[in-house]
Amino acid sequence: MAQYDVIIIGGGPGGYNAAIRAGQLGLKVALVEGRATLGGTCLNVGCIPSKALLHASELYEMASKDFASLGIDVSPKLNLPQMMAQKSESVTALTKGIEFLMKKNKVEWLKGWGKIAGPGKVSVKAADGTETVHDAKDIVIATGSEPSGLPGVTVDNKRIVDSTGALAIPEVPKHLIVIGAGVIGLELGSVWRRLGAKVTVVEYLDRITPGMDTETATAFQKALTKQGMEFRLGAKVTGAKTSKTGVDLTYGPVAGGAAETISADYVLLAIGRRPYTEGLGLESVGVVPDKRGVIANDHFKTSAKGVWVIGDVTSGPMLAHKAEDEAVACIELIAGKAGHVNYDIIPGVIYTFPEVATVGKTEEELKAAGVAYKVGKFPFLANSRAKVNHEAEGFVKILADAKTDRILGAHLIGPSVSEMIAEYAVAMEFSASSEDVARTCHPHPTRSEALRQAAMGVEGWTMQA
Ligand code: FAD
Ligand code: NAI
């Protein structure tokens, strides 16, 4: 039995960043993780492998379709096993990197599945079945999330796959049906479409990417449709029949009407994720999770003294960087410092082509809150760098308070906007006005000039469009 200052349960972006910060602050810390590798969903079966496939498949499609117009004649041939292998190599390198960081920061990795065994106690069951109990002044729950299921659609990760299965389909599907027009469906649907699959997306709502600024979502759907992705919106899936070679999926209009059946060799179910608390022993400390997971009443504190919660397993956006920010703030509070997360400024990115990147409020949210705002908008069609690169799809839209000019939100669609959104996030963190960005010198020719031009647009003095 060992005594720790903090035991963290779960080795994903929430857990491993909490462990590093605890080590940095001189706390005696242990991290419990049952997977064979650290890094959680994000590194093992989420952010990292999906971005590896998005990058490779984007280059494959560019080489197939766009290189010739640049004067580069090539005949690319897909080597799917190699594409998968380079994905796995990246995952292995990064998960090993986390293991190194644990050692560097004197974090002890308790290998096995953790269970809260009463106030200040965590039991850990190793793969060989042995169980050890450890004491801690504070316990941080960082157990993440798992894919949500849908009655009548049984994931077997052969023909009906979840996101983990979709990262490892052994062949390019002839037809992939994606259930759910959210982040996972559109990213992984894009991967397989680029590699040659016909992709049909079946979505319950009458729009894609719910919660996203509507003008941006509409432009996004148009771009994906142009690439060949098909959408069946307002469609309720009622069942899926699997055979050895494929799946017959039945759905009907949500508004009522005749059911339809479509067939495909693979189906990806991606209708959201739910907090993961199985076997965690929450009852031993009187914590009762709800639909949003383990609830933090106040700054990551659960209803049980000394039990904290961060990341996907609690409320808020299920994003790696949100988990990471909560990890740092939570440990700083445990160490008696002033940890803080600004939930108004958490960027969200969809890594498709074009990419979509957003931060802050949408127009719909501002209207609903009765906030008077001004819009500045700039199309990449008028940005010289985007034009010379023949990648001029999309726009930058910035929303500023009509009275104070403070930036309230930004919504970007276009190539590389995942890298550009951080400029607006930093500006917002410093409570910048749109004029602050408009009067900041930006390098030419870069896509970042579109950020400035959109900010100029708030007061109507855009120069390049
Ligand atoms: P997790 O990463 O889920 O880690 C939790 C860990 O806890 C897991 O390793 C699990 O094994 C372990 N665990 C659970 N219970 C126990 C227990 N009792 N004992 C021991 N260990 C336990 N987010 C982004 O920001 N950007 C992206 O590009 C992105 N892409 C994604 C792509 C996909 C396909 C998916 C599925 C998700 C993606 N996400 C992305 C979301 C991101 O992965 C999560 O938001 C993030 O991993 C949450 O971190 P976490 O630490 O809260 O939980
Ligand atoms: P999501 O919440 O993004 O999208 C789910 C979609 O499925 C929604 O459009 C929803 O309306 C739809 N849906 C729900 N029930 C349905 C039904 N019965 N039939 C048809 N459609 C239905 O969830 P997703 O894509 O599964 O992703 C889960 C989480 O992972 C997200 O919260 C996201 O934040 C995170 N993630 C983040 C990424 C990123 O940051 N780039 C990449 C991938 C995942």
Side-chain angles (χ1 to χ4, degrees):
M1 174 120 94
Q3 166 78 47
Y4 295 94
D5 291 318
V6 191
I7 293 181
I8 299 152
I9 307 177
Y16 75 73
N17 280 290
I20 291 171
R21 192 71 188 119
Q24 286 173 343
L25 294 175
L27 300 175
K28 185 168 165 52
V29 56
L31 180 67
V32 188
E33 173 57 63
R35 271 180 212 265
T37 49
L38 294 174
T41 302
C42 181
L43 270 72
N44 288 286
V45 290
C47 328
I48 296 306
S50 61
K51 266 78 256 180
L53 290 184
L54 278 157
H55 175 67
S57 61
E58 186 176 323
L59 291 181
Y60 174 72
E61 187 168 50
M62 280 172 86
S64 308
K65 296 186 178 160
D66 303 331
F67 277 15
S69 66
L70 300 174
I72 308 166
D73 288 331
V74 289
S75 306
K77 188 167 160 276
L78 178 65
N79 179 344
L80 190 60
Q82 173 55 25
M83 198 176 276
M84 292 293 172
Q86 62 84 35
K87 171 202 72 173
S88 302
E89 277 163 25
S90 299
V91 168
T92 303
L94 288 164
T95 54
K96 285 259 172 275
I98 303 298
E99 216 175 315
F100 165 77
L101 288 174
M102 293 305 108
K103 287 189 187 124
K104 186 176 165 213
N105 289 284
K106 300 193 171 51
V107 176
E108 196 174 332
W109 176 6
L110 302 175
K111 294 186 184 180
W113 298 100
K115 184 173 178 177
I116 303 177
K121 290 207 183 303
V122 175
S123 74
V124 179
K125 193 169 184 178
D128 64 6
T130 54
E131 209 159 339
T132 48
V133 181
H134 308 264
D135 282 347
K137 287 185 209 138
D138 289 283
I139 298 168
V140 179
I141 299 168
T143 49
S145 61
E146 61 177 350
S148 299
L150 183 63
V153 182
T154 309
V155 171
D156 57 11
N157 271 327
K158 289 192 177 94
R159 290 291 158 188
I160 303 185
V161 296
D162 58 17
S163 56
T164 302
L167 290 165
I169 299 177
E171 59 182 344
V172 176
K174 288 183 206 60
H175 186 192
L176 172 69
I177 299 173
V178 175
I179 308 176
V183 196
I184 291 181
L186 299 180
E187 284 190 355
L188 296 180
S190 288
V191 165
W192 292 109
R193 187 204 55 72
R194 292 166 184 173
L195 300 182
K198 169 183 160 76
V199 175
T200 307
V201 182
V202 181
E203 162 64 44
Y204 186 85
L205 298 177
D206 60 2
R207 57 163 293 169
I208 68 165
T209 54
M212 184 188 285
D213 177 82
T214 304
E215 185 185 15
T216 311
T218 305
F220 186 33
Q221 189 185 338
K222 209 169 142 193
L224 294 173
T225 303
K226 210 168 102 191
Q227 293 165 12
M229 210 179 257
E230 285 182 23
F231 291 93
R232 312 277 164 97
L233 302 181
K236 184 180 160 79
V237 173
T238 49
K241 227 169 98 193
T242 311
S243 71
K244 262 194 182 151
T245 53
V247 185
D248 294 331
L249 190 89
T250 309
Y251 68 92
V254 171
E260 229 181 283
T261 298
I262 41 173
S263 304
D265 39 352
Y266 291 92
V267 169
L268 161 59
L269 180 67
I271 57 165
R273 294 178 63 84
R274 60 181 174 216
Y276 185 73
T277 55
E278 211 178 296
L280 191 55
L282 290 173
E283 62 290 346
S284 72
V285 284
V287 171
V288 183
D290 72 8
K291 249 179 33 201
R292 290 166 305 157
V294 178
I295 299 308
N297 300 323
D298 171 33
H299 292 89
F300 323 114
K301 284 183 193 142
T302 69
S303 56
K305 193 169 178 289
V307 180
W308 308 68
V309 66
I310 55 171
D312 278 14
V313 70
T314 189
S315 51
M318 288 186 173
L319 295 171
H321 42 284
K322 176 262 192 185
E324 184 179 335
D325 275 23
E326 289 187 336
V328 170
C330 175
I331 293 297
E332 288 179 345
L333 289 171
I334 288 174
K337 295 179 171 289
H340 173 71
V341 174
N342 185 349
Y343 289 98
D344 288 335
I345 311 178
I346 296 181
V349 172
I350 307 184
Y351 296 83
T352 42
F353 190 97
E355 292 180 334
V356 182
T358 69
V359 64
K361 302 284 185 231
T362 63
E363 283 205 58
E364 292 73 32
E365 284 170 335
L366 292 176
K367 276 181 196 144
V371 176
Y373 64 95
K374 287 187 173 183
V375 182
K377 207 173 146 194
F378 191 80
F380 281 109
L381 207 56
N383 173 270
S384 53
R385 186 65 182 275
K387 280 291 279 180
V388 294
N389 286 5
H390 306 285
E391 289 179 343
E393 201 166 9
F395 56 77
V396 174
K397 177 163 110 173
I398 179 172
L399 309 173
D401 189 292
K403 272 198 217 118
T404 64
D405 192 32
R406 186 173 175 166
I407 303 169
L408 301 174
H411 306 277
L412 282 56
I413 175 165
S416 308
V417 294
S418 57
E419 301 292 345
M420 292 163 64
I421 194 72
E423 173 175 334
Y424 279 152
V426 171
M428 288 171 74
E429 197 63 53
F430 281 84
S431 305
S433 63
S434 77
E435 189 178 354
D436 288 327
V437 176
R439 293 192 184 274
T440 300
C441 191
H442 283 64
H444 174 78
T446 63
R447 292 177 204 282
S448 73
E449 287 174 286
L451 299 173
R452 182 188 190 188
Q453 293 290 333
M456 288 167 155
V458 172
E459 288 301 327
W461 60 291
T462 295
M463 326 246 348
Q464 292 169 9

